[in-house]
Amino acid sequence: MTVRVRFAPSPTGMFHVGGARSALQNWIYAKQQGGVFVLRIEDTDAARNKPEWTEGILSALDWIGISRGSYEGPYFQSANAGEHRAAAARLHESGRAYYCDCTREDVQARTGSQYQGYDGYHRDRGLGPGPGHALRFRTPDEGATVVVDLIRGEPTFENKLIEDFVIARGDGSPVFLLANVVDDMTMGITHVIRAEEHLPNTPKQQLLWEALGVKPPIWAHVPVVVNEKRQKLSKRRDKVALEAYRDEGYLAGAMRNYLMLLGWAPSGDREIVPWSVIEDEFRLDEVNLSSAFFDEKKLRAFNGEYIRALPVAEFVDACQPWLTGTGTIAPPPWQPEEFDADAFAAVAPLAQTRIAVLSEIVPNVDFLFLASPLIDEAAWTKTMKDGSAELLDDAVAAFEALDSWDAESLKSTLEAVGAERGLKLGKTQAPVRVAVTGRTVGLPLFESLEVLGRERTLTRMRAARLRLV
Ligand code: GLU
C-alpha cells in the first residue's frame, strides 16, 4: 500500500508557523515511507477565503522546501462539492443520516435550557428533505470508536457520548467535517497527520469513514504550538505568519530546522543539523505529547548561526532583497543609485558575524550609501559630551595628516588622540562613530571608515563638529 498523506490548509489568513510545521511533518513522513504528499486547499468557507491567502500558502511552502511541482495538487475542496453532496445523500439513503428541523431553542425547550447538544428527537420521525432541514448523522448507541493514532496510541471515544451531529446544513450544503472526510477518501489518503485541535472531530470523522464503507486512515495528532505563556499561538496576539519571518530575514533552512525541533530532537544532543539528518531521523511517534513552545529568541539564535555558516558570496546574495526592496520587503532608506555593491562586499563579512536576521543588514550599512548618516538623536545626546568637540577637532586633524587611509592607521591614530586626554579607545571612538554612522553600535569602526573613504568620513566629522558649537 502506498502511503498517501495530505496537508489541507484553509486559506483564511496568513500562513501559520504551526501549519508549516504540520506540512513539514507530512512531507518528511511521505518521503520516509516512499509515499505521496498531497496538497489540498480547503476553500469551502467562501466568506473567509481569499485567493491571495492561497497564493501565500503556495509560496510559503515553496520557501521552506515543499516546492511547487514536487507534490500532488493543489486540489481545491470547492471543486469536489458534488462528491460531498453525493456522500451526504448516500448516508441518508442507507439510513445512517436523517433530516431534522429543530432549532437550538426547540432542543433547549425539550431538554432544559443549559443543554448544548442534540437530543435525537428526529431520529425516527421520518422527516424528509426540505428548506431548513439539516441532515444529521445517526451515531451508534453502543460501543466505542477507537482511533489509531501514531502519536497518542488508541484514544477511545464512547459512541453514546457522541451526539447526532450535522453533516449537511438546512440549505443542503455539506459541512466541513464531511467534506474533509470525503476528500480524504477520494484522494486515497492513508495517514492524516494534523494538529491536535482536530482530535475532538476525529471520532465523528472515523464514524463517517466507516458509514461510507471505507477503512479509516491512520491518524496522528500533533501537539499544538504555544507562546511563552503556554497559550496556543494566535494570529491576533502572536507573530505567527511564516511570511513575516521570511520578510524579516529568517533563512528557510533555519526556519524549517527550528520548526522540526518543536516537540522533537535529533540524536546526540544536537539541534542544528543538516536537513538530511532530520529527514532520516525524524520519527512521528517520537513527537512529544506536550505542547511545543515557539521561542522566537531561540529561533533568532538559530538563524544567526545559519547566517554565519553561509559562504560570504551567498550571504551577499541573501541580503539583496533588503538592500534593494522587493515584493513584500520595504525599500531601504537610500536611493538605488546610491548603493555601491563593492562597498557592500567589503563590509559584508563584518556584518555577517553580527546580525541574527537579514533585515538587520540595513541599519548596519546605511551609513555607507546615504549622502549623510541618519542620526539617532538619543544616541547623539548620550554620546556627545563636554570635550567631544575638541576631540573631533583633534581627530579630524590627525586623520587629515594620514598618508594611508586604512583601518590599522585610523585605529592607532585615534588611539593616540584619546591617550592625550587619558581616554581609552572605546570612549574616544564613540563620538566618531555617532558622527559618521549616526549610531552608537554597528560594524567595527575603523574598517567602516576605511570603506567609507577619507572624504566622506572627514566631511561627516566636520559636520558633527559644527553641530556642537
Ligand atoms: N483545513 C483544516 C485546517 O486548516 C485542516 C483539517 C485537517 O487537516 O484535517 O485546520
Side-chain angles (χ1 to χ4, degrees):
M1 176 193 73
T2 305
V3 164
R4 289 176 60 84
V5 301
R6 81 326 187 249
F7 177 55
S10 306
T12 53
M14 299 290 271
F15 188 44
H16 195 290
V17 286
R21 171 189 184 229
S22 300
L24 288 170
Q25 290 169 333
N26 273 288
W27 179 255
I28 294 180
Y29 190 75
K31 188 154 191 194
Q32 289 175 341
Q33 304 292 321
V36 176
F37 175 100
V38 176
L39 178 63
R40 181 173 75 237
I41 304 294
E42 302 212 302
D43 60 344
T44 38
D45 187 350
R48 293 175 63 218
N49 294 321
K50 286 196 200 147
E52 58 264 40
W53 300 134
T54 298
E55 184 46 39
I57 292 169
L58 299 181
S59 73
L61 287 175
D62 205 59
W63 179 63
I64 48 166
I66 302 180
S67 44
R68 296 175 209 233
S70 63
Y71 49 79
E72 197 180 300
Y75 296 115
F76 290 85
Q77 186 160 68
S78 55
N80 301 339
E83 311 261 2
H84 308 152
R85 282 179 187 266
R90 276 209 315 282
L91 290 167
H92 180 240
E93 278 153 26
S94 65
R96 296 305 307 268
Y98 60 89
Y99 284 101
C100 160
D101 63 357
C102 299
T103 62
R104 179 165 302 282
E105 292 71 37
D106 294 339
V107 180
Q108 291 188 342
R110 281 196 300 269
T111 57
S113 63
Q114 300 308 314
Y115 193 66
Q116 291 295 320
Y118 179 64
D119 58 355
Y121 181 77
H122 272 291
R123 270 196 152 199
D124 300 306
R125 286 190 148 74
L127 185 70
H133 298 187
L135 196 56
R136 288 187 178 270
F137 184 72
R138 185 190 300 274
T139 59
D141 296 323
E142 290 172 357
T145 296
V146 181
V147 164
V148 177
D149 187 301
L150 289 177
I151 300 177
R152 280 151 211 278
E154 299 195 344
T156 300
F157 301 83
E158 278 201 61
N159 291 333
K160 65 171 186 286
L161 299 179
I162 307 174
E163 67 168 4
D164 286 355
F165 54 92
V166 171
I167 57 173
R169 302 178 189 88
D171 63 2
S173 61
V175 302
F176 169 72
L177 201 73
L178 176 64
N180 179 266
V181 165
V182 172
D183 287 350
D184 281 346
M185 214 172 264
T186 359
M187 293 171 193
I189 299 304
T190 60
H191 293 70
V192 170
I193 305 164
R194 62 183 179 182
E196 144 185 64
E197 68 207 45
H198 294 291
L199 185 60
N201 285 334
T202 307
K204 297 178 184 171
Q205 293 196 310
Q206 181 156 311
L207 287 170
L208 289 173
W209 280 81
E210 287 161 358
L212 288 164
V214 184
K215 186 171 167 283
I218 309 264
W219 311 88
H221 288 93
V222 183
V224 291
V225 182
V226 295
N227 66 16
E228 71 283 357
K229 294 190 183 125
R230 314 292 308 167
Q231 299 159 317
K232 187 168 161 278
L233 281 193
S234 109
K235 64 180 171 198
R236 258 161 245 100
R237 184 183 47 224
D238 305 301
K239 185 163 115 197
V240 298
L242 194 65
E243 294 95 324
Y245 290 93
R246 180 189 61 196
D247 291 353
E248 205 177 321
Y250 283 88
L251 298 178
M255 192 74 196
R256 63 181 184 174
N257 186 156
Y258 182 69
L259 288 172
M260 288 306 294
L261 288 195
L262 294 171
W264 175 81
S267 62
D269 241 359
R270 296 172 298 172
E271 292 201 307
I272 295 186
V273 290
W275 185 245
S276 58
V277 169
I278 294 182
E279 283 188 336
D280 282 351
E281 291 193 5
F282 175 71
R283 292 290 172 271
L284 206 45
D285 58 7
E286 287 175 6
V287 171
N288 208 311
L289 269 181
S290 49
S291 41
F293 171 33
F294 187 87
D295 183 351
E296 195 181 337
K297 285 203 193 80
K298 184 163 173 180
L299 172 62
R300 267 181 73 82
F302 246 64
N303 201 58
E305 291 210 31
Y306 271 83
I307 287 178
R308 288 188 283 285
L310 290 175
V312 177
E314 276 183 38
F315 172 71
V316 168
D317 281 350
C319 290
Q320 293 308 311
W322 289 269
L323 298 174
T324 54
T326 52
T328 49
I329 296 171
W334 55 81
Q335 294 303 312
E337 61 278 8
E338 293 178 302
F339 182 71
D340 175 346
D342 293 336
F344 180 66
V347 296
L350 306 171
Q352 191 175 359
T353 58
R354 283 175 169 73
I355 63 175
V357 291
L358 294 172
S359 56
E360 286 171 359
I361 195 64
V362 173
N364 272 286
V365 301
D366 58 3
F367 73 95
L368 276 177
F369 309 124
L370 290 165
S372 49
L374 290 170
I375 304 276
D376 168 353
E377 292 302 330
W380 175 278
T381 315
K382 198 172 91 200
T383 310
M384 297 303 190
K385 296 267 157 56
D386 288 351
S388 294
E390 293 71 24
L391 192 144
L392 284 172
D393 279 339
D394 290 359
V396 167
F399 285 173
E400 280 172 338
L402 275 176
D403 290 333
S404 160
W405 189 264
D406 62 85
E408 269 300 285
S409 317
L410 287 160
K411 182 178 175 202
S412 54
T413 305
L414 195 66
E415 218 160 15
V417 169
E420 282 168 23
R421 307 177 138 68
L423 293 177
K424 293 224 168 75
L425 183 59
K427 282 256 185 279
T428 320
Q429 69 176 20
V432 177
R433 183 189 285 284
V434 172
V436 173
T437 71
R439 301 173 210 275
T440 47
V441 287
L443 304 183
L445 180 64
F446 302 105
E447 282 85 348
S448 300
L449 301 187
E450 181 180 325
V451 176
L452 188 64
R454 184 190 292 264
E455 283 321 310
R456 287 201 291 169
T457 302
L458 290 173
T459 305
R460 290 177 189 196
M461 288 171 70
R462 288 186 199 113
R465 169 65 185 88
L466 281 179
R467 246 192 94 168
L468 290 171
V469 176

